[in-house]
């Protein structure tokens, strides 16, 4: 009887020991709970992250390291071929943020606002509004190009050509004040020198030619014969084009018969 009781007792002790060891292994595999002091320390560190991010001593590499610690993954969905991209940020800890950002695209007809842009350009051209003024109106309305830049006169003209839109001349344009000696509208000078409108505006911006903007927002360029020859020579030197560009002559301009300024 005594041996039987002793054997049973030893079996109970062995079962208890196995259970205790299993429980200890389970506890060792579980994450340790944070103390209140540790929680407070984490809260203080979290409040310092914005200051750390914006500190002058923080490098781009440091910021990337911070992002790797707090972001689990990022999901990006492009909205068709448009300029808009939807992004979802999954944060470590289970949080999620969603945002919508603009990306550069190749062509204006890829923009989500393209139908409205084209309709606006077509309507204003039909009303006889000049390309510079249309560009200014689009910019005032917050319209950007495919690459996120302000709309230029050249951009409006490119749309006009590509879409087959026909500008008309308004009464104001037909009755515009005459040009002075050695003065040219951008379209006239571009045609005479066989360059694009954009090149003329680059020369204006660089101060290579004098220019003024009329009340109708059209640019008037001052360029005599010597200036025209110098501009052509400069462009040929830069781009190694073949010589033979036609120079401008004031005598070739007849008052009241201005070449279209587009």
């Amino acid at each position: 009887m005594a041996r039987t009781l002793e054997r049973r007792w030893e079996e109970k002790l062995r079962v208890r020991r196995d259970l205790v060891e299993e429980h200890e292994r389970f506890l060792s595999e579980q994450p340790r709970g944070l103390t209140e002091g540790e929680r407070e320390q984490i809260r203080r560190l979290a409040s310092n992250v914005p200051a750390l991010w914006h500190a002058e001593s923080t490098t781009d590499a440091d910021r990337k390291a911070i992002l790797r610690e707090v972001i689990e993954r990022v999901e990006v969905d492009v909205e068709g071929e448009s300029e808009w991209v939807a992004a979802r940020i999954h944060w470590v800890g289970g949080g999620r943020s969603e945002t919508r950002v603009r990306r550069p695209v190749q062509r204006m007809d890829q923009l989500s606002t393209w139908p409205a842009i084209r309709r606006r350009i077509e309507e204003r051209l039909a009303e006889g509004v000049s390309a510079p003024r249309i560009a200014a109106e689009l910019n005032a309305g917050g319209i950007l190009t495919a690459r996120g830049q302000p709309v230029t006169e050249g951009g409006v003209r490119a749309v006009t050509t590509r879409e087959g839109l026909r500008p008309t001349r308004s009464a104001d344009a037909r009755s515009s004040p005459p040009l002075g000696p050695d003065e040219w509208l951008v379209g006239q000078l571009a045609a005479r020198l066989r360059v694009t409108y954009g090149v003329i505006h680059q020369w204006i911006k660089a101060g290579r030619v004098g220019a003024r903007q009329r009340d109708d927002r059209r640019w008037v360029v001052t360029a005599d014969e010597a200036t025209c020859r110098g501009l052509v020579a400069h462009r040929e030197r830069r781009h190694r084009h073949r010589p033979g560009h036609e120079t401008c002559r004031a005598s070739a301009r007849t008052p009241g018969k201005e070449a279209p300024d587009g």
Side-chain angles (χ1 to χ4, degrees):
M1 177 65 71
R3 285 194 298 270
T4 300
L5 291 175
E6 183 179 1
R7 186 173 61 254
R8 291 179 178 177
W9 176 252
E10 290 176 353
E11 291 175 355
K12 298 295 184 182
L13 290 176
R14 185 171 60 254
V15 171
R16 181 182 182 279
R17 184 172 60 252
D18 292 343
L19 290 173
V20 169
E21 291 175 355
E22 183 179 351
H23 180 64
E24 290 176 350
R25 284 196 302 270
F26 171 78
L27 293 178
S28 66
E29 294 172 355
Q30 301 305 306
R32 183 176 62 86
L34 299 175
T35 65
E36 184 57 33
E38 290 172 332
R39 293 176 184 274
E40 180 59 30
Q41 184 180 11
I42 291 175
R43 282 192 287 266
R44 288 198 305 270
L45 290 173
S47 64
N48 289 333
V49 170
L52 176 62
W53 181 271
H54 294 289
E56 294 182 358
S57 58
T58 303
T59 65
D60 290 340
D62 295 331
R63 293 187 177 92
K64 290 179 181 179
I66 294 173
L67 291 177
R68 283 193 293 268
E69 293 297 326
V70 298
I71 293 179
E72 180 178 316
R73 71 180 185 278
V74 177
E75 299 174 347
V76 176
D77 293 324
V78 180
E79 298 179 7
E81 294 186 350
S82 76
E83 74 278 26
W84 292 111
V85 176
R88 289 179 296 278
I89 303 173
H90 295 264
W91 303 93
V92 173
R96 189 177 79 171
S97 300
E98 296 188 9
T99 187
R100 193 166 176 255
V101 296
R102 182 188 176 104
R103 65 171 185 138
V105 292
Q106 294 295 323
R107 307 181 312 275
M108 286 195 71
D109 58 8
Q110 291 179 267
L111 298 175
S112 58
T113 54
W114 168 245
I117 294 174
R118 187 191 186 283
R119 184 167 57 252
R120 178 65 173 173
I121 293 175
E122 185 175 19
E123 291 173 351
R124 298 301 278 158
L125 286 174
E127 294 169 2
V129 179
S130 66
R133 180 175 294 181
I134 294 174
E137 292 176 356
L138 293 175
N139 289 325
I143 300 299
L144 298 175
T145 66
R147 296 189 175 276
Q149 301 298 317
V151 179
T152 64
E153 174 188 353
V156 173
R157 297 188 190 283
V159 170
T160 301
T161 301
R162 186 176 65 247
E163 298 296 317
L165 305 179
R166 293 186 176 182
T168 60
R169 307 296 284 178
S170 65
D172 290 341
R174 290 192 298 269
S175 61
S176 60
L179 299 174
D182 298 321
E183 286 190 336
W184 305 82
L185 295 175
V186 172
Q188 294 174 323
L189 189 57
R192 287 294 180 181
L193 301 185
R194 298 180 183 177
V195 297
T196 64
Y197 293 87
V199 170
I200 302 296
H201 283 287
Q202 288 177 6
W203 288 340
I204 294 173
K205 186 176 181 180
R208 293 189 174 277
V209 292
R212 61 183 175 86
Q213 197 170 21
R214 300 193 312 197
D215 292 340
D216 61 3
R217 303 186 66 84
R218 300 169 77 190
W219 284 95
V220 176
V221 183
T222 302
D224 58 15
E225 180 68 16
T227 301
C228 289
R229 287 196 299 268
L231 292 173
V232 171
H234 170 76
R235 181 161 176 79
E236 289 177 349
R237 285 195 302 271
R238 287 195 59 185
H239 299 278
R240 298 183 180 179
H241 286 173
R242 60 180 178 82
H245 289 285
E246 182 181 355
T247 57
C248 52
R249 293 182 297 274
S251 60
R253 186 168 64 250
T254 302
K257 295 184 178 180
E258 299 174 355
D261 187 32

